[in-house]
């Protein structure tokens, strides 16, 4: 219940895979940021700051200030997925 109440001290990163409209997306989310990457190429598509942009309206992928965060999030995503290759 601490997570629901908002009193949790730790946040476990979350991975999700989505097959929507013949396109696969990977999502990696930590306490602050959410990354969405293409399922075949693993190229970043979206990066959101969930503290300042809960509605996910500002894509930060191309923003130079977030380059290090993006690189770190991609590294974490790739570590989670490993050498898994998506097949149609």
């Amino acid at each position: 219940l601490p997570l629901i109440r908002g009193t949790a001290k730790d946040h476990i990163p979350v991975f999700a895979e989505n097959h929507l409209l013949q396109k696969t997306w990977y999502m990696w989310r930590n306490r602050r940021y959410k990354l969405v990457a293409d399922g075949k190429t693993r190229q970043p598509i979206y990066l959101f700051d969930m503290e300042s942009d809960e509605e996910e309206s500002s894509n930060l992928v191309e923003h130079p200030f977030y380059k290090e965060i993006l690189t770190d999030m991609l590294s974490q995503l790739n570590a989670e997925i490993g050498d898994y290759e998506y097949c149609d």
Side-chain angles (χ1 to χ4, degrees):
L1 289 173
L3 186 61
I4 294 170
R5 291 185 183 127
T7 59
K9 294 187 183 333
D10 295 326
H11 184 274
I12 299 170
V14 176
F15 168 75
E17 182 176 356
N18 188 346
H19 302 270
L20 180 63
L21 302 174
Q22 300 181 354
K23 182 145 180 102
T24 299
W25 302 57
Y26 295 134
M27 187 275 302
W28 185 253
R29 164 86 198 264
N30 62 24
R31 179 178 291 279
R32 178 145 188 197
Y33 297 101
K34 178 178 179 179
L35 170 71
V36 178
D38 183 279
K40 289 184 181 180
T41 65
R42 297 191 191 182
Q43 291 297 310
I45 299 170
Y46 301 108
L47 178 66
F48 300 110
D49 182 337
M50 301 305 290
E51 285 184 7
S52 65
D53 183 21
E54 293 177 5
E55 295 178 3
E56 302 176 18
S57 60
S58 297
N59 186 1
L60 305 172
V61 165
E62 300 293 331
H63 196 293
F65 180 81
Y66 293 93
K67 183 174 176 142
E68 186 175 329
I69 292 165
L70 178 61
T71 300
D72 186 50
M73 293 288 286
L74 277 170
S75 177
Q76 292 174 37
L77 174 65
N78 285 320
E80 179 70 21
I81 298 170
D83 59 2
Y84 171 78
E85 291 187 31
Y86 173 78
C87 299
D88 282 332

